[in-house]
Amino acid sequence: MKKRNILLRVTTVFVAATLFLNGCTAGGSTAPVNSVSTENPPVSVSVSEEVVASTETGTSTPNEIIISVPQWTKKEDVTDEQKEEQADEYLPLRDAVDAKIGALVGCCVNNTTIKNKNVWNIVTEDFSAVTFENELKPQSLLQWGSKCTEITTAKIGKKTIDVPTIHFFTADSMCNKILKWNEENPDRKIVIRGHVLVWHSQTPEWFFHEGYDKSNPYVDKKTMNLRLEWYIKTVLEHYCGEDSKYAGLFYAWDVVNEAVSDNGGKLRSDSENSSEKASADYHNNNSTWWTIYQSNEYIINAFKYANKYAPESVELYYNDYNECDSTKRQGIIELLKAIKEEEGEPGKGTRIDGMGMQGHYSVSYPESFAFSSTAQMYGKVVGKVMITELDLKASSDYDGSAESKEKEYEKIKKQYSRLYKSIQYADSMDEVDIAGITFWGVSDKDSWLQSTSSIGGGNSKGYKQCPLLFDEKYEKKPCYYVFAE
Ligand code: GLA
């Protein structure tokens, strides 16, 4: 990598000390990162002569974290020659992050964004992994409405059961595009995170009822176990089976999503939100899985079935949000332990390879220490941790105006910078391997935070937020360079 940047050598001891003493920013006191003027967009990077500043204290010389800090000049001052030179200053995200922490860098795409040339160019240049926003959720693979009208039969063990038809077409067409890219670019392959097999939300209510019709009574646990096994088997065999054309394309699956409640860290129940009717076509907060099982049994079984049908090369994850909140975190840890306790051979026990910290954060949350200590706690139970849906909600005083946006960009850059340092810090601990960072989208334009969303989160103030690394014109934002360094 051709670099003539200011190099700041910060020892991990220094970073750790800052973390513990300030209880906040890993590198907050290494001010130069944060004090760089960003009056211009990042295309205008120009490079100063090399300076090496050392902040090392004492005699210890542990591994160094090198932070390169670009100097910014006005856009109009930059010549074409300089621009070309600047392009060489940074590695694509996937290479930069891989070099620094040996992790995949992903983004979420959906069936519309993947067809957008600007998005596709960014995906293939900067990312080593993708997650499909909706297309592999039960909502997309099963049929919508109050009942299922496409019922066939399938065998699970010796039993023949009625099953709904699974619609693989849309997700397949997205997989085909990635597959084609991989065939043509064997050195720049992109892998897929399967998202998600079991979730209380975006799953049709009829799936839990007799005859796949929500006007009928709920099925019993035994029947639901057969349906659960059949669903996991069918989806995993389709995408990860030995004979699948997609074999080798998926690196992981989120087996269960968001099964822990925000209220006290217990398991999510069917009374999380009193305004959600049990008779709705699908639920946002309440869990019909809970209605049928009243325990963690469906979660344990989901990991058992995933272990039975996923090849060993495909990692299995539990995934959740508000994962740094201390009460909810405790609930998640208890659940991870319960899944772990049942570990065994495929067909006999569970397998869990990692914890997905969704990472729907904000410009001020979480503090660095909260992130790294949380990652460490999860790592102690399951080893691997991935940040699976990273984005940053805007600050409360952000009003969407151009002026406020400039300030917000700076805040977002600072928070991503703090976060990335605590990711590096966590990754340097023995107990935890941060194996992936996935951003929940490519450009701000396509983020779920740009519009009010019926599935939670969204934009409550009527203005568009700017949570990601690329702006609405698909240009790199200043925060991009936090990770491209
Ligand atoms: C959760 C889910 C994601 C997505 C986001 C909102 O985090 O895991 O699949 O629906 O909400 O976009």
Side-chain angles (χ1 to χ4, degrees):
M1 181 173 35
K2 199 168 64 156
K3 270 189 192 291
R4 290 182 293 130
N5 291 344
I6 296 174
L7 294 179
L8 264 181
R9 295 173 191 272
V10 187
T11 67
T12 47
V13 160
F14 177 74
V15 172
T18 313
L19 271 164
F20 282 92
L21 291 176
N22 294 349
C24 57
T25 65
S29 53
T30 60
V33 171
N34 295 341
S35 63
V36 169
S37 150
T38 50
E39 58 172 326
N40 306 295
V43 273
S44 63
V45 172
S46 98
V47 177
S48 73
E49 62 193 87
E50 180 170 307
V51 180
V52 177
S54 173
T55 55
E56 282 169 352
T57 51
T59 51
S60 48
T61 51
N63 297 338
E64 286 173 324
I65 294 175
I66 313 280
I67 304 161
S68 300
V69 183
Q71 297 288 286
W72 306 89
T73 61
K74 282 195 175 159
K75 200 172 189 171
E76 57 268 29
D77 294 342
V78 180
T79 64
D80 284 349
E81 206 180 42
Q82 278 174 318
K83 273 187 197 160
E84 266 174 39
E85 220 178 84
Q86 285 159 14
D88 288 342
E89 294 299 322
Y90 298 92
L91 287 175
L93 286 189
R94 58 182 286 171
D95 302 299
V97 173
D98 186 40
K100 199 153 265 176
I101 57 165
L104 288 169
V105 190
C107 58
C108 98
V109 286
N110 60 42
N111 191 36
T112 307
T113 56
I114 201 171
K115 292 177 189 145
N116 176 311
K117 265 195 187 159
N118 294 309
V119 172
W120 183 245
N121 287 342
I122 294 172
V123 170
T124 52
E125 170 73 12
D126 274 308
F127 293 96
S128 47
V130 292
T131 304
F132 297 168
E133 189 167 16
N134 290 307
E135 291 74 4
L136 286 169
K137 291 174 178 171
Q139 163 197 340
S140 307
L141 295 182
L142 299 172
Q143 188 190 348
W144 271 123
S146 60
K147 61 181 175 188
C148 174
T149 54
E150 302 165 297
I151 300 173
T152 55
T153 55
K155 271 201 131 187
I156 277 293
K158 287 182 189 148
K159 290 229 168 249
T160 301
I161 58 167
D162 282 346
V163 294
T165 303
I166 298 193
H167 298 267
F168 289 115
F169 182 79
T170 308
D172 281 5
S173 68
M174 294 170 74
C175 289
N176 291 340
K177 191 168 169 101
I178 310 274
L179 209 55
K180 185 164 178 274
W181 165 266
N182 288 350
E183 277 159 14
E184 288 166 4
N185 300 275
D187 299 336
R188 306 292 288 169
K189 280 190 177 170
I190 294 170
V191 285
I192 302 176
R193 178 180 199 85
H195 176 73
V196 51
L197 294 169
V198 174
W199 193 20
H200 66 280
S201 178
Q202 292 188 263
T203 300
E205 175 63 18
W206 56 249
F207 192 51
F208 304 93
H209 292 258
E210 287 174 8
Y212 298 108
D213 181 337
K214 74 167 189 176
S215 64
N216 292 335
Y218 293 112
V219 296
D220 58 17
K221 267 198 228 175
K222 232 169 139 194
T223 310
M224 203 63 222
N225 279 336
L226 289 169
R227 289 184 181 186
L228 178 60
E229 178 165 0
W230 161 79
Y231 183 78
I232 290 178
K233 173 182 191 285
T234 312
V235 175
L236 288 181
E237 283 181 351
H238 183 83
Y239 289 111
C240 308
E242 246 178 88
D243 303 330
S244 164
K245 75 187 266 202
Y246 306 116
L249 193 56
F250 283 71
Y251 70 95
W253 271 88
D254 290 323
V255 179
V256 178
N257 198 27
E258 303 180 353
V260 175
S261 168
D262 293 316
N263 304 319
K266 297 194 200 82
L267 287 179
R268 181 181 291 277
S269 74
D270 51 6
S271 50
E272 302 283 322
N273 181 348
S274 55
S275 61
E276 247 180 58
K277 289 200 177 121
S279 60
D281 279 356
Y282 66 95
H283 295 105
N284 293 325
N285 303 115
N286 295 341
S287 170
T288 313
W289 288 106
W290 180 264
T291 309
I292 291 177
Y293 288 86
Q294 306 279 317
S295 75
N296 70 7
E297 193 182 329
Y298 74 95
I299 304 168
I300 302 291
N301 287 349
F303 278 93
K304 280 186 180 164
Y305 302 145
N307 184 32
K308 189 168 171 185
Y309 298 108
E312 242 183 279
S313 57
V314 175
E315 294 181 344
L316 305 178
Y317 280 74
Y318 175 74
N319 194 48
D320 214 328
Y321 69 98
N322 278 351
E323 71 279 1
C324 296
D325 170 86
S326 57
T327 312
K328 185 162 176 180
R329 178 175 64 202
Q330 200 42 45
I332 294 174
I333 288 171
E334 275 160 30
L335 178 60
L336 296 179
K337 283 182 178 163
I339 301 166
K340 242 345 224 185
E341 265 168 29
E342 301 269 339
E343 263 187 345
E345 295 295 305
K348 291 197 180 125
T350 62
R351 167 159 69 91
I352 179 161
D353 299 289
M355 167 68 197
M357 296 174 66
Q358 286 190 6
H360 291 295
Y361 300 147
S362 80
V363 291
S364 53
Y365 176 86
E367 290 187 342
S368 305
F369 181 65
F371 174 85
S372 53
S373 56
T374 297
Q376 184 184 24
M377 288 180 212
Y378 293 138
K380 274 185 182 166
V381 188
V382 288
K384 272 192 186 174
V385 168
M386 290 200 179
I387 298 111
T388 54
E389 304 182 16
L390 183 57
D391 56 16
L392 298 182
K393 284 193 180 126
S395 43
S396 53
D397 58 356
Y398 175 58
D399 64 12
S401 67
E403 236 189 341
S404 153
K405 195 178 221 177
E406 200 178 316
K407 280 194 204 139
E408 199 60 27
Y409 271 26
E410 195 49 26
K411 288 186 198 170
I412 283 177
K413 184 180 146 210
K414 277 187 189 167
Q415 175 67 338
Y416 272 130
S417 171
R418 281 193 288 261
L419 207 52
Y420 193 32
K421 280 179 211 148
S422 31
I423 289 172
Q424 290 170 57
Y425 176 60
D427 189 57
S428 73
M429 297 173 184
D430 286 344
E431 302 99 330
V432 50
D433 172 17
I434 307 273
I437 306 175
T438 288
F439 293 86
W440 207 238
V442 172
S443 130
D444 286 343
K445 190 175 185 177
D446 306 310
S447 162
W448 71 305
L449 296 173
Q450 286 248 344
S451 58
T452 308
S453 155
S454 64
I455 51 164
N459 170 0
S460 54
K461 288 195 184 166
Y463 53 73
K464 294 174 173 181
Q465 300 200 42
C466 41
L468 297 167
L469 303 187
F470 294 82
D471 70 13
E472 296 194 341
K473 293 184 178 145
Y474 306 97
E475 297 284 349
K476 291 166 181 161
K477 290 162 59 179
C479 56
Y480 169 93
Y481 296 93
V482 165
F483 298 92
E485 265 292 312

